[in-house]
């Protein structure tokens, strides 16, 4: 994205996001090309902006909805009922009742299976549903770990009657999502192999035929300036696995979900310099809405500076790493300066970069952060201190700017 649209918007706004459709299109076209036999869902919680959900719908993406509101957002954006998958822990009876006619339900626990069964029984019908499974494998090792998500694989395989006793539901799909932001194609491939094996085991334990195996997400995006995930190789491996399992899982749709891969790189966050000051030899640049406008870079600084942990693991989607975002000064200054970038909140935890070297910044300049397309506006505590939240804009492929 070039600087002009950002500078133009900066004439009116002190903090704002711009999502660039051409970047989203390039990302998802790559996925569609590399994973020809896969059905993709867009994980709305990554960025629920309507033009984004609508654009992905036109590209054939279904929706991964994490709440009842996201089910309706997907519907409003034109996604068909059978392509909206509602999977989240702690769905209430009201959530399930509200959603049942508008999407595919994925039960997150045995209690949810029971709740859905009750709804179906009251309607005198049998519902096809999916179950989320906590698998007995991870990306890293051969054994699973305790999780708040899904039903343990061992419970389903060893005590299938706990599910089969609910005669008003039929389990016709499985869903697993154990990790986000993986950049190693080899690990993802091993995970997908495990998923196919799990699909077969579930098929025989529950005497069912699976309409879909939803393998969740995992597709990572690179930190600023780092190498990309090798989706070409990964796509070939997945297509190989699909044909290998075609005989034993003949009618099963293979689904991959993604939020960040589709939209993460498309977003830019622009924040204006409100004040410049020096304190005891240190230069502070005071920006508009940092922690409260785009929380993840602040979270990275927070973890770096308030824990003793040397090798910080990712804690998605709140924290991906300390170098997830690039910083750019949108000015013509040739002079460089080492500064600390802070926000306008009344807390000293509101720091987004310490001792960073940038072109010399003046009041009114814009600082632009990259990789701001996912888990950004929607994840940030915008109510804090009652400041005006950042604006959000969508730039379509004709460079027309739409307000979100
Ligand atoms: C958040 C989430 C995703 C999306 O993860 P990304 O890393 O953004 O691709 C996919 N599936 C489930 C179940 C999720 O909770």
């Amino acid at each position: 994205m070039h600087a002009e649209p950002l500078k133009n918007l900066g004439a009116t706004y002190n903090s704002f996001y711009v999502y660039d459709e051409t970047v989203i299109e390039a990302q998802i076209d790559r996925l569609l090309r590399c994973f020809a036999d896969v059905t993709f869902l867009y994980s709305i919680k990554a960025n629920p902006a309507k033009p984004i959900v609508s654009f992905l719908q036109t590209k054939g993406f279904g929706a991964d909805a994490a709440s009842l509101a996201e089910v309706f957002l997907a519907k409003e954006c034109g996604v068909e009922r059978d392509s909206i998958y509602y999977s989240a822990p702690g769905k209430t009876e009201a959530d399930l009742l509200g959603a049942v006619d508008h999407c595919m339900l994925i039960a997150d626990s045995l209690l949810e299976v029971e709740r859905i069964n009750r709804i179906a029984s009251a309607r005198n019908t049998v519902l096809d549903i999916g179950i989320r499974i906590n698998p007995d494998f991870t990306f890293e090792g051969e054994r699973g770990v305790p999780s708040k998500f899904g039903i343990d694989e061992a419970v389903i395989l060893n005590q299938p009657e706990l599910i089969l006793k609910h005669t008003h539901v039929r389990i016709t799909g499985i869903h697993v999502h154990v990790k986000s932001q993986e950049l190693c194609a080899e690990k993802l491939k091993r995970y997908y192999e495990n998923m196919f094996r799990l699909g077969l085991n579930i098929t025989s334990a529950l005497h069912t035929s699976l309409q879909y195996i939803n393998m969740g997400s995992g597709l990572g995006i690179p930190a600023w300036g780092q190498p990309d995930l090798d989706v070409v190789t990964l796509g070939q491996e997945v297509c190989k696995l699909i044909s290998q399992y075609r005989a034993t899982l003949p009618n099963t749709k293979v689904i991959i979900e993604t939020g960040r891969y589709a939209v993460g790189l498309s977003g830019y966050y622009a924040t204006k310099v409100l004040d410049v000051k020096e304190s005891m030899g240190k230069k502070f640049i005071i920006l508009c809405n940092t922690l409260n406008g785009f929380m993840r870079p602040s979270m990275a600084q927070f973890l770096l500076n308030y824990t003793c942990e040397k090798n910080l693991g990712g804690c998605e989607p709140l924290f991906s790493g300390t170098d997830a975002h690039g910083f750019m000064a949108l000015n013509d200054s040739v002079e460089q300066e080492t500064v600390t970038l802070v926000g306008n909140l009344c807390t000293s935890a509101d720091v987004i970069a310490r001792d960073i070297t940038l072109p010399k910044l003046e009041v009114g300049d814009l600082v632009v952060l990259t990789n701001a397309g996912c888990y950004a506006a929607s994840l940030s505590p915008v109510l804090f201190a009652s400041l005006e939240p950042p604006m959000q804009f969508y730039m379509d492929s004709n460079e027309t700017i739409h307000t979100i």
Side-chain angles (χ1 to χ4, degrees):
M1 169 157 195
H2 31 264
E4 224 42 52
L6 295 167
K7 281 186 177 161
N8 292 341
L9 290 166
T12 313
Y13 303 103
N14 289 341
S15 69
F16 56 92
Y17 288 90
V18 180
Y19 311 118
D20 185 347
E21 183 178 275
T22 57
V23 177
I24 300 175
E25 186 162 33
Q27 287 292 101
I28 61 180
D29 281 352
R30 190 172 306 137
L31 290 183
L32 295 172
R33 228 178 12 252
C34 295
F35 297 77
D37 303 326
V38 168
T39 301
F40 280 97
L41 307 183
Y42 173 55
S43 299
I44 295 179
K45 78 177 190 298
N47 189 330
K50 261 190 211 166
I52 291 182
V53 183
S54 296
F55 181 65
L56 286 157
Q57 184 273 329
T58 65
K59 286 289 198 168
F61 273 55
D64 160 32
S67 64
L68 182 59
E70 287 189 355
V71 169
F72 282 100
L73 174 60
K75 186 178 162 141
E76 216 178 301
C77 292
V79 187
E80 301 280 340
R81 178 192 182 275
D82 291 356
S83 298
I84 304 174
Y85 293 78
Y86 179 16
S87 186
K91 296 192 277 303
T92 64
E93 199 132 357
D95 290 331
L96 294 165
L97 206 48
V100 63
D101 292 326
H102 307 284
C103 66
M104 312 288 274
L105 292 175
I106 297 179
D108 202 83
S109 66
L110 291 173
L111 182 60
E112 277 192 15
V113 176
E114 188 183 322
R115 283 179 178 152
I116 301 169
N117 189 69
R118 204 176 310 141
I119 290 170
S121 158
R123 293 178 165 203
N124 241 328
T125 181
V126 177
L127 274 177
D128 285 352
I129 65 165
I131 41 173
R132 180 148 174 186
I133 300 175
N134 176 35
D136 201 6
F137 52 82
T138 64
F139 277 38
E140 309 298 331
E142 291 310 307
R143 303 308 309 268
V145 291
S147 171
K148 75 170 200 180
F149 296 106
I151 306 166
D152 281 355
E153 175 184 334
V155 169
I156 304 165
L157 298 185
N158 301 333
Q159 297 164 272
E161 67 281 2
L162 293 178
I163 288 177
L164 294 173
K165 69 178 181 186
H166 299 296
T167 53
H168 288 272
V169 295
R170 203 164 32 218
I171 307 303
T172 53
I174 60 168
H175 178 210
V176 171
H177 170 74
V178 289
K179 188 170 187 286
S180 275
Q181 185 52 26
E182 179 58 62
L183 288 164
C184 174
E186 188 55 37
K187 279 188 194 169
L188 280 160
K189 179 200 153 195
R190 213 167 46 223
Y191 166 71
Y192 294 146
E193 274 177 335
N194 281 325
M195 281 300 303
F196 280 99
R197 261 200 300 274
L198 177 63
L200 279 185
N201 291 340
I202 295 293
T203 302
S204 57
L206 298 182
H207 317 295
T208 186
S209 139
L210 292 180
Q211 290 165 11
Y212 60 90
I213 295 181
N214 182 342
M215 311 204 286
S217 180
L219 307 176
I221 54 172
W224 187 240
Q226 294 300 303
D228 218 338
L229 169 67
D230 181 1
V231 284
V232 175
T233 305
L234 187 60
Q236 286 166 354
E237 295 292 350
V238 169
C239 292
K240 232 188 277 172
L241 282 169
I242 291 175
S243 53
Q244 208 173 305
Y245 280 87
R246 200 31 87 212
T248 41
L249 294 164
N251 303 310
T252 309
K253 197 156 55 171
V254 173
I255 297 175
I256 292 180
E257 302 171 322
T258 181
R260 76 187 59 218
Y261 195 90
V263 298
L265 305 180
S266 77
Y268 296 84
Y269 185 58
T271 164
K272 201 175 282 179
V273 177
L274 303 178
D275 202 348
V276 175
K277 57 166 81 168
E278 259 185 62
S279 167
M280 299 188 164
K282 222 174 177 45
K283 191 140 189 189
F284 290 92
I285 306 293
I286 300 188
L287 298 167
C288 183
N289 294 345
T290 53
L291 167 63
N292 55 322
F294 185 15
M295 186 178 72
R296 293 167 80 229
S298 294
M299 182 64 89
Q301 285 302 317
F302 196 84
L303 289 169
L304 260 184
N305 291 287
Y306 295 95
T307 69
C308 302
E309 191 66 52
K310 284 282 175 289
N311 299 311
L312 289 170
C315 184
E316 299 297 340
L318 296 175
F319 170 68
S320 304
T322 51
D323 52 358
H325 310 283
F327 292 81
M328 297 181 293
L330 225 58
N331 63 19
D332 303 320
S333 176
V334 283
E335 198 182 328
Q336 301 271 313
E337 218 174 29
T338 298
V339 294
T340 291
L341 302 179
V342 299
N344 55 336
L345 280 181
C346 297
T347 163
S348 46
D350 186 13
V351 177
I352 56 167
R354 279 189 165 80
D355 301 322
I356 184 176
T357 303
L358 288 172
K360 185 168 189 225
L361 287 159
E362 309 279 359
V363 169
D365 286 348
L366 287 177
V367 172
V368 175
L369 280 74
T370 65
N371 290 5
C374 62
Y375 309 107
S378 63
L379 203 72
S380 302
V382 294
L383 297 179
F384 189 20
S386 305
L387 288 159
E388 210 170 302
M391 294 290 291
Q392 294 184 75
F393 300 100
Y394 185 73
M395 188 170 81
D396 69 22
S397 46
N398 302 316
E399 300 212 355
T400 305
I401 302 274
H402 306 264
T403 305
I404 290 166

